[in-house]
Amino acid sequence: METPGTPPLLPPELLAMMARGVSVIVSSCGPDLTPSLMRAVGSQVGPQGEQVTVFLNRGQSVQLLRDVARTGRVAVVFSEPHSHRTVQLKSNSARLREVTPDDVPALQRYLLAMQGELGRIGFAPDFAAAMLAHRLEDLSAVTFAPEQAFDQTPGPRAGQPLRGLA
């Protein structure tokens, strides 16, 4: 969480990339640190990155959702397929919530964005539609306030912490 006077966790260009809709991979771990991982079928990012919600197919994410519920830990990677520009966010206070019809516009925007993004690297819209297929009643949402952010773009800065324009 940010305190007054501290720079934002993420620079505006990374926030814009995340909010636009790029590939999202969600991970957590259990109390024994055994990892769990799944592709999100949608995401929503607050205007300043203060809150992030990722949407997961419940049936495909049983262990991941169990781990988040038990530990509150989550690490989420946003990656732009055409450039490999990547940012990782972490939190120890993630929470699960039900998905509602109010989430449908965010899910639809995400699908359209991913169809465009994957189209840039040669995949037809049907590929993204199949990859992100879901039924609203089978989704769970993981919502969190990012506590840490890292540059994960391949190259010399990979793994470096981010804070604002650093």
Side-chain angles (χ1 to χ4, degrees):
M1 291 253 160
E2 291 182 32
T3 57
T6 59
L9 193 59
L10 294 163
E13 65 275 7
L14 285 178
L15 278 171
M17 178 193 80
M18 292 164 42
R20 182 178 71 245
V22 294
S23 178
V24 178
I25 304 294
V26 183
S27 65
S28 187
C29 65
D32 65 352
L33 303 182
T34 301
S36 52
L37 177 98
M38 185 54 57
R39 173 175 297 283
V41 298
S43 66
Q44 188 166 23
V45 179
Q48 302 300 313
E50 70 284 358
Q51 181 171 293
V52 175
T53 300
V54 292
F55 300 95
L56 298 163
N57 271 313
R58 193 177 297 123
Q60 297 172 347
S61 308
V62 173
Q63 187 61 50
L64 174 60
L65 294 169
R66 185 178 300 136
D67 290 344
V68 171
R70 285 183 187 162
T71 68
R73 293 182 190 141
V74 69
V76 178
V77 173
F78 291 81
S79 185
E80 188 176 61
H82 83 270
S83 71
H84 300 292
R85 186 174 200 187
T86 304
V87 62
Q88 180 187 50
L89 306 179
K90 291 185 177 185
S91 177
N92 289 309
S93 57
R95 65 188 193 294
L96 304 179
R97 71 165 177 80
E98 292 297 316
V99 175
T100 71
D102 291 341
D103 293 311
V104 170
L107 289 159
Q108 290 172 335
R109 278 191 306 275
Y110 183 81
L111 173 60
L112 290 173
M114 278 295 288
Q115 286 174 323
E117 182 61 35
L118 292 175
R120 292 180 75 171
I121 58 172
F123 289 93
D126 291 348
F127 178 82
M131 182 175 73
L132 302 173
H134 63 270
R135 291 190 346 239
L136 193 63
E137 62 272 14
D138 290 336
L139 295 182
S140 285
V142 177
T143 299
F144 64 98
E147 297 165 10
Q148 296 177 295
F150 300 90
D151 183 345
Q152 294 296 2
T153 303
R157 291 195 38 83
Q160 294 296 309
L162 293 172
R163 169 126 328 259
L165 301 174

